[in-house]
Amino acid sequence: MLIALDMDGTLLNGQGEISPENKEAILHAQSLGHIVIIATGRAYMDAERQLRLADLECPVVSLNGAVVTLHDRTVAASTPLNKEDVIPALRWMNGIQDLYYEVYTQDNVYVELDKRVQLEKKLTSLKEDEVPEESRWLVKAMIKQQFRQAAVTYVESMEEIWSDADQRIYKTLVFSLNREQLKEASARFAAIPGLIITASHISNIEINHEEANKGAGVKKLADHYGIPVRQVAVMGDSYNDLPMFEMAGYKIAMENAAQVLKETADFITLSNIEHGVAAGIRHLLDKNKG
């Protein structure tokens, strides 16, 4: 059996860590001969860092499926964006104060320093009609988590990245509290052929190549290990997990998952702060015995 685990909101707890309970469940599944993989929107280096901190080794589908890396760090597949296609939309975002964005290459995450500064200022001057008082702590915590999960490199101008022929762009993440601006950004990217727009939260969008999604990435690893789709189980919590829910033989949604995932799941496990991955793996192993 191949078990694919999302990271944020699934494998990682409220502190952004892999709990001892989840670690032990993964090791137990691996000891029984099952393949446990990570399928995440994070860059490989961020996902691998979390695994290393927990002393785990797993193949990784990173950047929503744009890069597939084996446990020995061999890149098995990669699907970058066409830079020339997306640069006009990225340049447009530079002029929109309410749009913060990150550009993901295979080994790094780039942010314009001015965009980070603007976002920090925005957080200190949120208006009631933008985010109600009772929700501001949640918004700030979410942004803090985003900064924590991505070891970013700050540049004066993103032109440095676009003009470097050796740099491949695999994903762009756009964040905004301004829903109209976010909708406009989504529409601009949607008008570019060959892209897929997903989201891991209502305040962001993620742009990848249309052939790069978690479902396609997980399928590539299943094929690599000779595991049929019916023996692929997936766990996730958010909208960017839908492609792997659609391809998997067995689907497990977290208790904290978006409703659409719960509606299509074969089983709903505990939340990520209650070691839901460990409970989900126990369920799969018990089911596999039968």
Side-chain angles (χ1 to χ4, degrees):
M1 179 168 51
L2 184 145
I3 305 171
L5 307 173
D6 169 53
M7 278 201 129
D8 295 280
T10 301
L11 177 58
L12 303 184
N13 60 20
Q15 289 71 50
E17 300 169 344
I18 300 173
S19 70
E21 291 85 351
N22 285 348
K23 172 186 173 179
E24 290 307 313
I26 290 171
L27 290 174
H28 181 53
Q30 290 175 328
S31 73
L32 295 175
H34 301 296
I35 306 295
V36 180
I37 72 170
I38 303 302
T40 179
R42 291 183 179 221
Y44 172 77
M45 63 176 185
D46 286 322
E48 194 274 336
R49 174 169 55 89
Q50 291 293 338
L51 292 172
R52 190 170 63 250
L53 288 171
D55 199 22
L56 289 169
E57 286 188 2
C58 299
V60 177
V61 173
S62 58
L63 301 176
N64 287 333
V67 181
V68 178
T69 308
L70 304 181
H71 71 279
D72 63 359
R73 299 191 177 190
T74 299
V75 176
S78 68
T79 313
L81 295 169
N82 184 324
K83 281 197 293 187
E84 297 307 314
D85 288 344
V86 299
I87 285 174
L90 294 174
R91 282 199 176 118
W92 169 78
M93 287 195 296
N94 277 349
I96 308 299
Q97 188 173 2
D98 288 341
L99 291 177
Y100 167 89
Y101 70 96
E102 300 171 347
V103 167
Y104 291 65
T105 64
Q106 183 172 324
D107 298 316
N108 220 329
V109 182
Y110 292 97
V111 175
E112 284 196 351
L113 182 59
D114 186 56
K115 283 290 184 183
R116 170 66 186 264
V117 172
Q118 289 177 15
L119 182 57
E120 294 283 9
K121 288 181 179 178
K122 185 72 173 180
L123 289 177
T124 61
S125 59
L126 289 175
K127 298 178 182 178
E128 183 69 25
D129 60 349
E130 293 174 311
V131 180
E133 182 68 35
E134 63 272 16
S135 302
R136 293 183 191 185
W137 69 271
L138 182 60
V139 171
K140 291 181 179 181
M142 181 188 69
I143 297 172
K144 183 179 180 180
Q145 177 185 354
Q146 176 63 30
F147 288 151
R148 183 178 62 204
Q149 77 178 48
V152 303
T153 295
Y154 293 103
V155 294
E156 290 297 325
S157 170
M158 207 65 79
E159 295 283 348
E160 301 172 30
I161 311 305
W162 302 334
S163 60
D164 185 346
D166 294 328
Q167 289 281 16
R168 290 185 173 186
I169 297 176
Y170 288 89
K171 170 186 156 182
T172 295
L173 180 142
V174 185
F175 174 86
S176 182
L177 297 175
N178 186 321
R179 301 288 175 80
E180 291 305 313
Q181 293 289 9
L182 193 63
K183 188 184 298 184
E184 172 67 14
S186 181
R188 284 177 179 261
F189 283 107
I192 301 171
L195 300 184
I196 182 172
I197 294 91
T198 58
S200 56
H201 188 273
I202 58 172
S203 296
N204 74 28
I205 56 172
E206 300 179 7
I207 298 96
N208 285 95
H209 191 286
E210 65 179 355
E211 296 177 7
N213 61 72
K214 289 189 180 185
V218 171
K219 178 67 163 55
K220 287 174 183 176
L221 279 176
D223 291 343
H224 174 82
Y225 292 108
I227 298 175
V229 168
R230 68 177 182 277
Q231 293 180 17
V232 173
V234 300
M235 285 190 228
D237 75 302
S238 198
Y239 303 104
N240 61 350
D241 295 317
L242 280 171
M244 67 177 184
F245 267 53
E246 292 169 356
M247 62 75 60
Y250 198 79
K251 303 168 277 292
I252 297 180
M254 307 301 291
E255 177 57 41
N256 53 287
Q259 187 61 32
V260 65
L261 270 75
K262 289 184 175 182
E263 291 172 356
T264 60
D266 298 298
F267 179 75
I268 298 176
T269 187
L270 301 174
S271 73
N272 66 310
I273 63 175
E274 298 172 303
H275 323 296
V277 162
I281 289 177
R282 286 195 297 270
H283 169 77
L284 287 171
L285 297 182
D286 288 344
K287 179 176 175 297
N288 196 57
K289 288 178 184 176

